[in-house]
Amino acid sequence: MRWITRWCSLLCVLMAGSLTQASAQPAGRIADLVLPQQAQSLSFFSSLGMGIWKPEGDGPFPALILLHTCGGVSQHIGTWRKEAITRGYLVMILDSFSARGSPSCRPRAPIPMERGVQDISDAVAHLAALPGVDPNRIGVMGFSWGGMAALLNGSTGYRAATPINGRTPTAVVSVYPSCYIGPFSSFPGAEFLRQDLATPTLVLMGAADTESPPQDCLDRLTQLRERRAPVEWEVISDATHCWDCQDKHGYRSSPPWAGGRTVEYRYDGKATGLSIERAFAFLAQRMPAR
């Protein structure tokens, strides 16, 4: 539990650093990831790290990129990998941190957020060139930090201003993201869900999430829907942040970036099941597994 407390107490540093580092350390100066080439079959002995796994058969398969929280690749990513493959999706676990000096955001962010956004486009382009992948059916599912990067990847203005090069995903599922972080300390605040979102996107939120309050997303999502943007959302009753994280169950804190709110993680099997069904129903509409 001590490492979880330390991780979350440093999240404010990560959020500030991962965004403000972009000017001092542009994404283009950070080495591209070496992405896996060969798809494997999932088994009991499969490792949990960067890699590609596929269903039985030759394809072409729709592909789903899983992008981690700022805590790095952990237990819940394995759950979603298995669910995706069972439903006929080829899966890439994208690890933006480990090859760049840290498997998580401790003690500091190994990359700025801008580089994480670029990693998504690089992974989409990489998968599109692989045999057995349908290049027109490549989606991204991001969690917390990864979900925020996925939201920014869908912003036409952010992509142009940064700039982000390469392909955009067919669809995005953003799971318990922060759609907005207000100013704190020297951090000026940042919008992650922007009004020029162009990628079909589903946002999954927890009604009891005090780390990434759903209201910060709901106001922005409503505005997007009024503009006929391709967005959907679901607020899951009683779910906290990281509701699918069995290994973080019971964490409590009140970090300064949360504005005095108490943050608590509770694993919730029912919420996990509901979010899985909602996510793959959305993907079945946008990029079905035939």
Side-chain angles (χ1 to χ4, degrees), residues 44-130:
F44 177 81
F45 300 102
S46 294
S47 62
L48 188 59
M50 185 129 77
I52 301 173
W53 293 264
K54 74 178 191 67
E56 294 183 3
D58 298 323
F61 302 108
L64 184 62
I65 299 162
L66 302 179
L67 184 56
H68 51 78
T69 71
C70 76
V73 177
S74 59
Q75 159 269 323
H76 68 131
I77 294 289
T79 300
W80 288 90
R81 173 179 63 178
K82 181 179 178 181
E83 292 291 341
I85 292 171
T86 299
R87 288 166 169 78
Y89 291 89
L90 178 143
V91 173
M92 170 190 278
I93 294 179
L94 180 61
D95 184 350
S96 286
F97 288 174
S98 295
R100 292 168 172 147
S102 174
S104 71
C105 58
R106 304 185 322 250
R108 64 184 292 274
I111 59 170
M113 177 64 76
E114 174 188 343
R115 180 66 251 196
V117 178
Q118 181 63 62
D119 286 347
I120 291 173
S121 286
D122 290 349
V124 172
H126 178 74
L127 286 173
L130 293 183

Side-chain angles (χ1 to χ4, degrees), residues 65 117-118 120-126 128 134-140 150-156 159-160 164-172 197-200 287:
I65 299 162
V117 178
Q118 181 63 62
I120 291 173
S121 286
D122 290 349
V124 172
H126 178 74
D134 183 343
N136 298 312
R137 292 183 291 159
I138 301 175
V140 174
L151 292 177
L152 285 175
N153 189 277
S155 163
T156 55
R159 290 180 63 90
I164 301 299
N165 302 309
R167 296 175 64 111
T168 56
T170 306
V172 162
L197 182 75
T199 303
M287 37 177 282

Side-chain angles (χ1 to χ4, degrees), residues 50 144 154 156 257 261 267:
M50 185 129 77
S144 194
T156 55
W257 51 266
R261 299 187 301 270
Y267 172 72

Side-chain angles (χ1 to χ4, degrees), residues 177-201:
S178 292
C179 295
Y180 169 76
I181 294 178
F184 66 89
S185 185
S186 61
F187 178 59
E191 294 272 356
F192 297 94
L193 180 60
R194 302 189 176 194
Q195 292 302 303
D196 58 356
L197 182 75
T199 303
T201 298

